[in-house]
Amino acid sequence: MRLIADRVTRIMLAGRIDRDDPILELIESDDILDEKTVLGDAVEHILSFPHLSAKEVANQYNKNWTNPSDALRKLSAKGEVIGLKRAGKFRYPEFQFSQSDEANQVARKGNVDLGARDDPWGVASWWLSPNPSAEDRKSPAQLLNEGSLDAVRALLDAEIADDIA
């Protein structure tokens, strides 16, 4: 997962795939007609989920921040919150605010452990994509929403262990 997440992040920054990039082994040659297809699909998937501006986060979740943009950028800089920059503006996947306090803490710790500070798009993809190790291939964000916190913790532990190995 980390290999793909890192490559997608690099593709998003560079806007192209180098011919020696290992991600090409995962893509059939017929699919490389447009190198930005991978990038577009990954971004489209992530952005198909609800996202909020800093002001919307503050208003909807009763955050008493003087400056919501600064508060969320600081949390993003620590890696606690996923902040996705698009067209010069930050958007924040809603799942990390809309849960119980305990579930929100699991999300924040997971964001830090997965490296959201350095790879917010890859971490957002991990949370929002179906996980083959989860029951019914649910995404970690779905499990979080259902209150299956132990299942989310187990997926996080497995992902982190896999990245270390």
Side-chain angles (χ1 to χ4, degrees):
M1 173 69 182
R2 179 56 79 192
L3 170 67
I4 294 169
D6 289 345
R7 294 296 167 244
V8 169
T9 298
R10 195 174 62 68
I11 291 165
M12 291 172 61
L13 293 172
R16 64 183 183 79
I17 301 173
D18 293 333
R19 294 294 168 210
D20 61 348
D21 194 314
I23 200 168
L24 293 177
E25 295 173 19
L26 303 173
I27 304 169
E28 300 213 10
S29 60
D30 293 344
D31 295 336
I32 305 177
L33 296 175
D34 179 4
E35 292 179 346
K36 291 188 179 181
T37 300
V38 173
L39 166 64
D41 289 349
V43 170
E44 184 178 320
H45 173 74
I46 292 167
L47 295 178
S48 71
F49 293 88
H51 288 73
L52 303 170
S53 68
K55 186 176 181 179
E56 290 169 330
V57 171
N59 290 340
Q60 288 183 28
Y61 298 103
N62 300 316
K63 303 295 184 186
N64 296 321
W65 296 317
T66 303
N67 185 328
S69 294
D70 284 347
L72 284 169
R73 273 194 221 120
K74 286 177 184 175
L75 291 171
S76 292
K78 291 185 210 176
E80 292 182 29
V81 170
I82 299 167
L84 304 173
K85 191 172 184 179
R86 276 286 275 175
K89 296 184 186 222
F90 280 91
R91 302 292 291 176
Y92 302 90
E94 186 174 21
F95 78 87
Q96 51 192 347
F97 307 103
S98 60
Q99 313 301 322
S100 69
D101 286 343
E102 183 182 7
N104 287 340
Q105 288 303 322
V106 170
R108 282 189 177 192
K109 182 178 181 329
N111 288 340
V112 170
D113 292 346
L114 292 171
R117 181 177 67 101
D118 298 320
D119 187 10
W121 289 93
V123 175
S125 178
W126 184 86
W127 280 106
L128 298 169
S129 297
N131 191 303
S133 298
E135 182 180 334
D136 296 332
R137 296 183 50 86
K138 292 181 180 177
S139 72
Q142 284 176 298
L143 294 169
L144 200 65
N145 187 49
E146 294 171 358
S148 301
L149 303 185
D150 289 337
V152 173
R153 287 183 188 105
L155 291 174
L156 283 163
D157 291 344
E159 182 67 24
I160 293 161
D162 187 46
D163 282 349
I164 293 172

